[in-house]
Amino acid sequence: MATTRRLTADDAAEAGALLASGKLVAFPTETVYGLGADATDGEAIARLYAAKGRPSFNPLISHVTSLAAAEALGRISATARALGEAFWPGPLTLVVPATETCAVSDLARAGLGSVALRVPDHPVARALIEAADRPIAAPSANRSGRVSPTTAAHVLADLDGRIDAVVDGGPTAVGLESTIVALLDDAPRLLRPGGLSRAAIEAVLGRPLEEPLKDEAAPLAPGRLASHYAPTAKVRLDAEDIFEGEAYLGFGPDRLGLRAKAVAYETLSASGDTIEAAARLFSCLRALDATGATAIAVAPIPDHGLGEAIRDRLARAAAPRG
Ligand code: AMP
Ligand code: MG
């Protein structure tokens, strides 16, 4: 990657244009510095995971500038609206069912039917998202396993040379990540404590926040999903042959001629590019699953680049389940 450009709060229009063209731009929010990418662009999201060096695909929070913009992406119930009106802009993330037309990419949602939404309260973040004119995924702007950055210098210490730009807007105010509340069933559930207190949220709800569910889309702890997107068909990894009734998910050139033997075929990346493969992972699994094939045989995926995260996700899809 080229050198990381240093931008200031005056460069919001330029930074927004970079985001809109698929580039990675770190910027301040009121919580911590986020590493922004176009949430609707699967390949930009794949590059974001690569820059952070994340070994797995967790769902990301999409940042928008208004409740109205959130409504285009997620189903906003009366409860969600009450919380949004009380605390947006601010350090509250709502996990809600995605709309039919939700523009947030499969990869940013880790294949889930829900979407995490937030309206940040920082002039630079808002100006950038407005200029980009699309939802911006922005996990903390640090290498995987390091602490969240609260200054542009922290961001550069971790990501210089790995991202396209950083917008220096001074130190962030909260320093804690956003509080995450799931509104996916009858009960509002606290998925992650953060910059907005439980008491403040419960005062608006008029009821206590419940524990996360231990099933679909409920993290056991921040960053750990108890369940995850899994196809109905069985998934068989490192396939070197195709069995009766199997679909084939390829990667790289089809040297063994397996495509012809399969009942259905998709390729993660014909050229063997792990960024393209990550961006296509969930949509390929979905497409093959929809054919009704009994199993999906998956070509070997290399360990380099995003290969590790792709393999991690496929291994979970392949794990026995009850
Ligand atoms: P961050 O790293 O601050 O962007 O926070 C991302 C975290 O938000 C994930 O690790 C999950 O804990 C949570 N999250 C995001 N999207 C969802 C979702 N669709 N369902 C459940 N949890 C989510
Ligand atoms: Mg983080």
Side-chain angles (χ1 to χ4, degrees):
M1 169 153 326
T3 49
T4 299
R5 296 178 54 195
R6 275 73 163 162
L7 302 176
T8 72
D10 296 333
D11 304 318
E14 195 174 349
L18 286 172
L19 285 169
S21 67
K23 305 286 193 209
L24 304 181
V25 180
F27 60 86
T29 76
E30 80 278 29
T31 58
V32 300
Y33 271 72
L35 179 56
D38 179 353
T40 70
D41 178 346
E43 295 205 7
I45 298 302
R47 286 194 292 274
L48 186 156
Y49 281 111
K52 277 183 68 84
R54 269 203 187 171
S56 62
F57 299 125
N58 299 324
L60 303 175
I61 298 167
S62 289
H63 296 75
V64 294
T65 52
S66 66
L67 190 57
E71 283 189 295
L73 306 173
R75 293 217 302 275
I76 302 297
S77 63
T79 307
R81 175 172 302 282
L83 291 176
E85 282 173 354
F87 300 116
W88 282 351
L92 173 68
T93 294
L94 298 178
V95 175
V96 299
T99 58
E100 287 284 301
T101 54
C102 180
V104 175
S105 62
D106 262 335
L107 186 60
R109 282 156 47 192
L112 297 171
S114 52
V115 63
L117 301 169
R118 178 164 107 81
V119 179
D121 184 18
H122 191 290
V124 173
R126 295 172 67 79
L128 240 73
I129 301 165
E130 223 139 67
D133 195 24
R134 63 202 62 211
I136 300 298
S140 55
N142 52 276
R143 294 283 288 269
S144 185
R146 311 271 191 90
V147 294
S148 296
T150 55
T151 66
H154 293 166
V155 174
L156 288 167
D158 255 21
L159 296 173
D160 198 6
R162 299 175 69 89
I163 63 176
D164 297 289
V166 57
V167 180
D168 190 345
T172 63
V174 178
L176 277 178
E177 271 144 340
S178 63
T179 302
I180 306 181
V181 171
L183 300 169
L184 296 173
D185 59 2
D186 305 339
R189 299 176 187 279
L190 182 64
L191 300 190
R192 177 176 81 186
L196 179 67
S197 76
R198 168 195 282 270
I201 297 167
E202 290 178 340
V204 169
L205 291 173
R207 59 178 291 180
L209 283 163
E210 308 279 330
E211 292 291 304
L213 283 176
K214 291 212 168 25
D215 61 7
E216 190 62 70
L220 289 169
R224 300 224 143 261
L225 295 175
S227 187
H228 51 81
Y229 168 73
T232 310
K234 287 206 187 87
V235 174
R236 192 166 66 78
L237 302 179
D238 296 317
E240 291 185 322
D241 202 355
I242 299 294
F243 302 138
E244 180 80 40
E246 280 187 331
Y248 182 48
L249 181 56
F251 178 87
D254 182 23
R255 290 207 181 84
L256 301 171
L258 300 189
R259 173 179 188 164
K261 298 186 180 174
V263 298
Y265 169 79
E266 293 284 342
T267 182
L268 289 172
S269 169
S271 65
D273 172 4
T274 60
I275 296 282
E276 183 185 19
R280 288 176 50 74
L281 178 60
F282 293 104
S283 57
C284 284
L285 284 172
R286 251 182 240 291
L288 292 179
D289 206 21
T291 66
T294 53
I296 301 170
V298 184
I301 312 287
D303 253 332
H304 64 74
L306 283 177
E308 188 188 358
I310 295 169
R311 291 182 63 89
D312 167 79
R313 186 47 62 144
L314 285 168
R316 293 193 219 193
R321 48 185 183 266

